[in-house]
Amino acid sequence: MPLSEFEVINRFFASHGLKRPEVTLGIGDDAALITPPSGQQLVVSTDTLIAGVHFPHETSAGDIGYKSLAVSLSDLAAMGAEPLAVTLALTLPEADESWLAEFTEQFFLLADSFNVQLIGGDTTRGALSITVQALGLLPCDQGLTRAGAQVGDLVYVTGELGDAGLALLVLQGELRLPVKDKAQVLKRLNRPTARIGAGIALRNIASAAIDISDGLVADLSHILKASDVGATLQAGKLPVSDVYRRTFDVAGDWSVALSAGDDFELCFTVPEKRQGEIERIMSGLEVRCSWIGMIEQRQGLRVLDDIGREIHTGSGYDHFR
Ligand code: ADP
Ligand code: MG
């Protein structure tokens, strides 16, 4: 007998033990109740992942569970928030027990690692799609936004860019990689790192921040628009993995690192006088952080190669184009 909706909820979602003191009422009623500590703001973000759009159809249930939570936590990181709780709206073609077991194992593995409680959701039948709403906490008025970058600020990114884009090229049959390299880039696509610690450390230091979901060029451009400034980046400063270097070991094809999405690193701007401080903090967190360019008065985004020529950059992913 296939599982009923309520068996699915009770067996796979409602029975998980993690409890946060701020959650006054969790799964089981018509809605959850949250009591934020005084002096803290609630930060809310929602992301939907659709099979064939946000992850390839052949992605494992465990990777889907992990990624669906990671991308939502990444938005909290970009705001400088501490994750608190999530809701999960799950649409499934069928109530497949082994799929659900794998999905929830990896979902809760990541949730537990950030002390995040699942407080509710919805379970429906249809084409596979996962919506996670993430709730976070932030001391009042310390949130990082896309607005606030000032002329003269330095532009930084965490981690490495482009590996998730390489993974997509591999899956589309446009790139062949050695087995180990392929595994590395697929891991970056399927199990992105939410930069929560880095985001929290950026409160009161970064002038603006965003997470890179649609590609560096597209996402940094959102900061530039919101802050009413421009920027110039040095392609040679872009942090890329050894796999990336080996793959594009010519006079540098930076296009994947610049324009492919799905890396979920943070891009942020910092006043120049705080450069030493930010680099010390990130190194203390063991998060690679690279200075890639400057905020300028002149509108728009320019990317220069090693001899100062402007590189043409594509734009990022757009669901309706
Ligand atoms: P309602 O019909 O009032 O919207 P549901 O019957 O859909 O409530 O859900 C019952 C309870 O189970 C609710 O508390 C809801 O938040 C929770 N729930 C449903 N699906 C999920 C899920 N996938 N993950 C976590 N909680 C869920
Ligand atoms: Mg109800």
Side-chain angles (χ1 to χ4, degrees), residues 6 9 13 27-30 88 118 120-123:
F6 296 102
I9 296 170
F13 299 106
I27 293 176
D29 217 302
D30 292 312
L88 169 66
L118 179 66
D122 202 14
T123 305

Side-chain angles (χ1 to χ4, degrees), residues 222-263:
H222 293 312
I223 287 185
L224 301 181
K225 271 218 181 73
S227 303
D228 197 24
V229 291
T232 296
L233 304 183
Q234 310 292 328
K237 291 191 197 293
L238 293 175
V240 294
S241 67
D242 293 341
V243 174
Y244 193 101
R245 272 190 198 288
R246 283 198 296 277
T247 308
F248 294 103
D249 194 18
V250 262
D253 182 337
W254 296 105
S255 61
V256 174
L258 282 168
S259 302
D262 281 298
D263 284 314

